[in-house]
């Protein structure tokens, strides 16, 4: 019997640092498989097909939706983004742990289909810090800042739908916390009941 | 508001290596407070009052039981062993995390009083290994071995009363898993609801 892999969902408000933390996790957890999203937005310089995204035409993307090939998807500013279902399900079935880095709406969709996933909410150390990070991008007008900051503060309310909150005070600390959460979940009795029932049978 | 500390209970069958692992945890988690038991058995050479045990007379021990000063206690081969309640409750109230290394019967008693403790079951990598470890002590007659081994195999059935199982295949791995479990529990949404409710209030 192969123990099913864990589906780890890393989400959180915009500006929390999901992308940075998830990139920093790769060398720390080399056996973890990082899901790659598809998108209809054109590749940016340096982006590689299958590494950063699977780049799709709008028609291809709509077909994937139609055929239920996406675990979750969203339209963001005229572009589509989504998570292919099949590679994730295949890896989980083989016992591999999978990491999904997605926004809060996406996480909500995933939770409906994988209620036993491990849902981690990454947050900035404070709303002040969040403000700085959004401004630090240097791409925001005052109006778009208010919009983003208001949305991020609002998104904090979703904490209660998650299993864990990780404060991203420093990337390496956040990475260590996520590694710990995964390791702890792998030790959880609830997730290993079948396995231990077998050991107990052997011993008696 | 001070966040209450975690009560971590490390238990498991005899021969799993609770003592070794718990000693190896100390330098890794220097802020964790290790509960010291009391006993009526006489100190062995090198044992230090307040470090290995609090050494008590039988009369003192019975008084402690009478006055509800023990979180759990047991009589083992004519000696009494028990866990003083007050130092644990004081540390938890101050927000310090506390580790309790006790046998399975003791853990059962503690769970009734601290249902929200973190209950970790330490097991040897296999029953074969357990056999080796019990024999390796070199202090067992064949009869006492059968007794110990049978009891340990039987004790495995208690797994389902615990939150986590840690396999003690190698002490440093077991230590890392326990450290992870504690860190994960500190990130758990369920344990931090009040704190996050406050953050959300601030942000809106």
């Amino acid at each position: 019997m192969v123990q099913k892999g864990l589906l780890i969902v890393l989400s959180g408000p915009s500006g929390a640092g999901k992308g940075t933390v998830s990139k920093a996790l790769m060398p720390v957890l080399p056996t973890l498989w990082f899901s790659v999203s598809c998108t209809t937005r054109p590749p940016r310089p340096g982006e590689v097909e299958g590494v950063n995204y699977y780049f799709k035409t709008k028609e291809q993307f709509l077909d994937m939706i139609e055929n239920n090939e996406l675990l979750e998807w969203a339209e963001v500013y005229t572009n589509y983004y989504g998570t292919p279902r099949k590679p994730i399900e295949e890896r989980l079935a083989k016992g591999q742990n999978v990491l999904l880095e997605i926004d809060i709406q996406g996480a909500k969709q995933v939770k409906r289909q994988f209620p036993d996933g491990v849902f981690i909410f990454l947050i900035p150390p404070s709303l002040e810090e969040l403000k700085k990070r959004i401004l630090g991008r240097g791409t925001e007008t005052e109006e778009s800042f208010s919009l983003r900051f208001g949305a991020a503060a609002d998104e904090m309310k979703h904490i209660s739908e998650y299993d864990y909150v990780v404060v991203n005070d420093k990337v390496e600390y956040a990475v260590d916390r996520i590694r710990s959460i995964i390791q702890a979940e792998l030790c959880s009795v609830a997730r290993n009941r079948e396995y231990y029932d077998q050991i107990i049978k052997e011993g008696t």
Side-chain angles (χ1 to χ4, degrees), chain A residues 16-168:
Chain A
K18 294 189 288 292
T20 314
V21 167
S22 134
K23 211 170 284 166
L25 265 171
M26 291 189 183
V28 175
L29 295 173
T31 62
L32 190 62
W33 186 74
F34 290 71
S35 161
V36 177
S37 302
C38 3
T39 182
T40 59
R41 91 153 159 67
R44 292 179 187 149
E47 284 187 337
V48 177
E49 164 79 12
V51 174
N52 304 92
Y53 284 101
Y54 294 105
F55 296 98
K56 303 285 177 191
T57 63
K58 190 170 170 185
E59 200 185 6
Q60 289 173 322
F61 199 100
L62 294 176
D63 273 353
M64 293 180 83
I65 296 175
E66 184 80 11
N67 300 326
N68 197 25
E69 291 172 30
L70 297 174
L71 202 53
E72 58 84 31
W73 62 273
E75 199 182 345
V76 185
Y77 309 120
T78 76
N79 290 312
Y80 288 87
Y81 295 84
T83 304
R85 174 194 305 279
K86 211 175 151 195
I88 292 179
E89 291 185 338
E90 283 175 352
R91 276 162 181 97
L92 291 177
K94 281 186 199 152
Q96 196 172 2
N97 303 321
V98 169
L99 187 109
L100 210 59
E101 180 228 317
I102 42 177
D103 69 10
I104 293 176
Q105 291 312 315
K108 237 188 168 102
Q109 293 181 53
V110 174
K111 199 172 178 183
R112 261 179 246 129
Q113 300 168 73
F114 286 91
D116 59 349
V118 180
F119 289 81
I120 303 175
F121 200 74
L122 189 74
I123 59 168
S126 68
L127 288 176
E128 274 314 300
E129 181 62 29
L130 179 61
K131 207 178 275 185
K132 268 190 237 154
R133 287 186 196 176
I134 294 179
L135 288 173
R137 290 180 178 167
T139 55
E140 308 291 325
T141 62
E142 198 171 323
E143 192 188 5
S144 83
F145 165 74
S146 295
L147 205 70
R148 289 193 88 103
F149 182 70
D154 207 55
E155 283 174 331
M156 295 288 281
K157 293 183 189 157
H158 292 272
I159 282 183
S160 61
E161 299 156 18
Y162 287 74
D163 302 304
Y164 298 98
V165 175
V166 166
V167 179
N168 186 15

